[in-house]
Amino acid sequence: MAQIYFSKFNINSEIYKVYDDDGLKDKILKEVFEKIDENTRHTEREKRRGEEEKEVTYKFCNLIKNSKNKVICGRLVKIYEGEIQSYDAKNDTVITSNANNCAASSTFYFDLKSEEIAFITRNALGYNQFNKYFKALVEKYFKDITFEIFLENNIGELKEKLYAMSRILSVEAVIIPPNANRKDFARIFGPSEEEVRESGATKVISKMEVSAKSKNALNIGTSYFDRILLAIKKDMLR
C-alpha cells in the first residue's frame, strides 16, 4: 500500500504583501492554478551514487483541473537515463538494458484552497525530490515570486519521539512566515516580528546547542520549544 504524504504550499517572496493585502494571496494562487501545465520542463544534471552525472528532466503530466473546487490532480514525473530489466522466459534469465526514457512519477492532489499537496512517492522520486521539483516547476511560471513547499509533520508523534530521547545536544529550526496571518507569526516570534519584517527576511534560522563534552542537555520542556512545536503545527517550520 502506498504511503500518502502531505506538503504545505507557501508563498514566500511576497509574504509581507500578502499580510497587507487580503486579496493578493488568492490572486497568486489563482495564477498558480491557471498556469500549471504539461508543457513546462525543469532539467538539470544529477549524480546518483556510483554513477556518472546525467541529465534529468521533471514535468507535470496527466493534469486534471477542477476550477470550481480549485483542485489540480496529476503526476510529477522524473525522466532520466537508467537501466530496465525484462524476463527472458526461453533462457530463464533477466536481461538488463539501458534506456534514456526511464520514468518515475508521483501522483498528487493539489488543493489550492487549503494550500496543501497530497502525494505518493516512488523509489526514484522521494518526498524531498517531489517538494524540490514541484517548487522548481511552479516558479518557472513567475518572474518575481518564489514559493516554499515543505512536508507537514505529525506533531503528536514528533513530541513523543522528542521526549523519549535521553539527551538532546542541538536543535536548529528554519521558520518560514506562513500564508495564514500575522497573529500566528507574532505568537512565535513575539516582539521580534517587526524586526524580521523590516529586514525583509523570509526565513529565520534559530539554533540552540550545548557542548557535547559537557554533561548538560537541552531542556525541551520550555516555552521556547513549545513555540517551535507550534511553528511545526502551523506549517511554518521546515
Side-chain angles (χ1 to χ4, degrees), residues 148-186:
E148 290 287 346
I149 302 176
F150 45 93
L151 203 66
E152 293 189 319
N153 298 282
N154 183 324
I155 191 67
E157 182 180 348
L158 178 60
K159 277 187 176 181
E160 287 182 9
K161 290 181 177 180
L162 282 174
Y163 291 126
M165 292 182 180
S166 59
R167 191 181 183 211
I168 299 176
L169 298 178
S170 176
V171 172
E172 180 172 318
V174 179
I175 299 177
I176 300 167
N179 289 345
N181 56 61
R182 61 180 16 158
K183 290 182 180 178
D184 289 336
F185 188 95

Side-chain angles (χ1 to χ4, degrees), residues 69-72 109-118:
N69 296 322
K70 291 295 183 288
V71 168
I72 303 175
Y109 178 94
F110 185 10
D111 186 340
L112 283 92
K113 287 184 177 179
S114 65
E115 302 150 45
E116 285 188 317
I117 308 169

